[in-house]
Amino acid sequence: MSTPSDAEFMRRALEQALLAEAEAEVPVGAVLVLRDAIVASGHNRPIGAHDPTAHAEIEALRAGARELQTYRLNETTLYVTLEPCLMCAAALMQARVRRVVFGAFDPLAGAAGSRLDAFRSYAGNHRTDVFGGVLAEQCGALLRGFFERRRERPGPAAQL
């Protein structure tokens, strides 16, 4: 169920996504919240970091664990502009994040119900609640615009 603050925290995740876009990364952003306060944030940076695991969720989890001085992020909520992939879903469950709220659904790689549901099939002793579709239009429009602009630019082969 959506709470009144979900949209506000998703707007903050969108701000992080814009940072990723400014760095020519896929515009996905995340914020980690504890007791209605943002404790960490992150945005996609696998290209700049030369790290395939540097997704927005992972960046926010790492920063949150450092900030809270614990690897167990119980009682936190992670807001992310795109449905988590399988890698991120597994990391969120391992971190014991209580709740994940995402914006746009990802029919190609979404692991919170679109392509598969890692959160529901997890057999561990911790459950993560997942809620999708918060500011889905804004989150999806940012991603669509990013990829449309990339397709418009001719690549090196087109310049020959």
Side-chain angles (χ1 to χ4, degrees):
M1 171 185 266
S2 178
T3 63
S5 62
D6 285 349
E8 182 54 38
F9 287 125
M10 189 60 70
R11 284 185 197 92
R12 300 294 295 276
L14 275 163
E15 291 171 6
Q16 288 295 311
L18 290 171
L19 294 175
E21 183 177 45
E23 297 170 8
E25 301 273 3
V26 175
V28 178
V31 295
L32 186 67
V33 174
L34 177 64
R35 292 186 209 86
D36 292 326
I38 295 174
V39 294
S41 59
H43 59 275
N44 268 9
R45 37 187 245 85
I47 298 166
H50 307 289
D51 179 357
T53 69
H55 290 195
E57 299 95 322
I58 303 296
E59 294 294 298
L61 287 176
R62 287 175 177 157
R66 282 190 302 271
E67 177 67 26
L68 298 173
Q69 295 291 292
T70 181
Y71 69 98
R72 288 190 175 170
L73 301 173
N74 304 23
E75 307 304 319
T76 62
T77 298
L78 183 103
Y79 293 85
V80 62
T81 57
L82 181 65
E83 180 180 359
C85 69
L86 183 57
M87 174 186 70
C88 292
L92 290 160
M93 290 182 287
Q94 286 296 315
R96 298 186 182 190
V97 170
R98 165 140 315 161
R99 187 167 176 255
V100 173
V101 179
F102 66 88
F105 289 85
D106 184 354
L108 295 177
S114 289
R115 186 69 173 177
L116 60 105
D117 193 343
F119 293 97
R120 185 176 297 177
S121 63
Y122 180 65
N125 62 356
H126 173 75
R127 293 286 177 250
T128 300
D129 294 327
V130 181
F131 184 76
V134 174
L135 301 183
E137 183 54 40
Q138 294 94 317
C139 295
L142 181 62
L143 286 158
R144 282 189 303 277
F146 174 80
F147 287 111
E148 285 170 6
R149 286 187 298 281
R150 286 185 61 154
R151 284 190 293 272
E152 290 171 359
R153 283 186 246 134
Q159 296 173 1
L160 296 176

